[in-house]
Amino acid sequence: EVQLVESGGGLVQPGGSLRLSCAASGFTFSSYWMNWVRRAPGEGLVWVSRIKSDGSGASYVDSVKGRFTISRDNAKNTLYLQMNSLRAEDTAVYYCARISGSYGGVSDFWGQGTVVTVSS
Amino acid sequence: DIVMTQSPDSLAVSLGERATINCKSSQSVLYSSNNKSYLAWYQQKPGQPPKLLIYWASTRESGVPDRFSGSGSGTDFTLTISSLQAEDVAVYYCHQYYSIPLTFGPGTKVDIK
């Protein structure tokens, strides 16, 4: 059974940092590209970042460039999102999502999400 | 960036009736080399992650009931729920995965009338 379990969310002050993790199981993690997507309260889905299966080729939405870093450890089957210089507008549920290699790059399976709250 | 718009923002449909959601992209998401539109539809219920319903504009994901169907190509797309069931109450998003940054529509909330 495919599982993605996010962790690391919490309450942080503006300007602070958090590292999110996404533990994968039930599939060959090292073969899949991965996404981070977030949903702010009362808002829609926003793609945050993507990383290729070998850890290269990271991409980011403009609003997080220079502040967030996506990475992965294929030996540990884990995806990460290092978030620095956090702002109130980064408050959201953060989801990791597997990118299907068969469907042209769509995210076919999502974790339950972890909540990040940026507030003083 | 490709901007995705959806209409309506919300709709209420009687049980067993048809629900139709429209999605438009600001640029074509049709990849000419394979003639596929890189457009997906997701369903999200409160407290749950998004669930993939449709990819390549019209291909139903495995396990998705056949009352859900997608159509369209290029820049204009439609998600149809042919006979609304109570469990279909959710927010529906269209999503282009043609180019970075990946983008989503603002969502359409579907309720029971």
Side-chain angles (χ1 to χ4, degrees):
Chain A
E1 178 193 5
V2 173
Q3 282 202 324
L4 295 169
V5 180
E6 300 93 339
S7 61
L11 174 63
V12 61
Q13 292 189 337
S17 298
L18 278 177
R19 188 176 83 156
L20 306 183
S21 299
C22 169
S25 60
F27 65 100
T28 305
F29 178 70
S30 59
S31 298
Y32 286 83
W33 296 23
M34 298 291 294
N35 277 327
W36 284 102
V37 178
R38 68 187 181 186
R39 184 178 183 187
E43 303 288 327
L45 298 168
V46 174
W47 171 78
V48 173
S49 184
R50 184 183 76 182
I51 191 168
K52 296 182 179 180
S53 55
D54 63 357
S56 67
S59 300
Y60 302 91
V61 69
D62 282 351
S63 60
V64 309
K65 280 180 183 175
R67 300 188 300 123
F68 290 11
T69 302
I70 191 172
S71 63
R72 63 192 296 161
D73 185 335
N74 285 342
K76 295 182 177 179
N77 291 337
T78 303
L79 175 72
Y80 302 101
L81 186 68
Q82 177 67 43
M83 304 187 298
N84 299 330
S85 303
L86 282 162
R87 305 166 181 168
E89 55 264 35
D90 296 318
T91 295
V93 179
Y94 284 75
Y95 301 97
C96 64
R98 186 182 76 170
I99 297 173
S100 169
S102 304
Y103 306 162
V106 72
S107 294
D108 65 344
F109 192 84
W110 300 54
Q112 290 292 321
T114 187
V115 178
V116 172
T117 303
V118 184
S119 175
S120 54
Chain B
D1 298 5
I2 297 177
V3 177
M4 308 299 292
T5 56
Q6 288 181 233
S7 62
D9 295 335
S10 64
L11 74 162
V13 175
S14 300
L15 289 172
E17 296 300 305
R18 178 184 301 260
T20 301
I21 302 169
N22 299 301
C23 172
K24 183 181 284 284
S25 58
S26 62
Q27 306 169 39
S28 175
V29 297
L30 177 66
Y31 193 39
S32 56
S33 66
N34 60 9
N35 200 37
K36 292 184 183 295
S37 290
Y38 282 55
L39 188 284
W41 290 95
Y42 291 93
Q43 174 193 67
Q44 188 172 29
K45 299 178 180 179
Q48 295 186 20
K51 175 186 175 183
L52 178 64
L53 299 176
I54 303 285
Y55 58 93
W56 280 333
S58 60
T59 303
R60 198 178 303 114
E61 171 70 319
S62 175
V64 173
D66 61 7
R67 63 180 180 273
F68 291 93
S69 63
S71 63
S73 180
T75 61
D76 291 275
F77 304 92
T78 300
L79 175 70
T80 301
I81 309 172
S82 60
S83 175
L84 191 76
Q85 304 300 304
E87 61 265 32
D88 300 334
V89 170
V91 178
Y92 293 82
Y93 295 93
C94 61
H95 166 57
Q96 69 80 16
Y97 51 104
Y98 178 84
S99 68
I100 295 292
L102 309 180
T103 49
F104 294 84
T108 295
K109 186 176 182 182
V110 174
D111 270 318
I112 305 295
K113 184 187 291 183

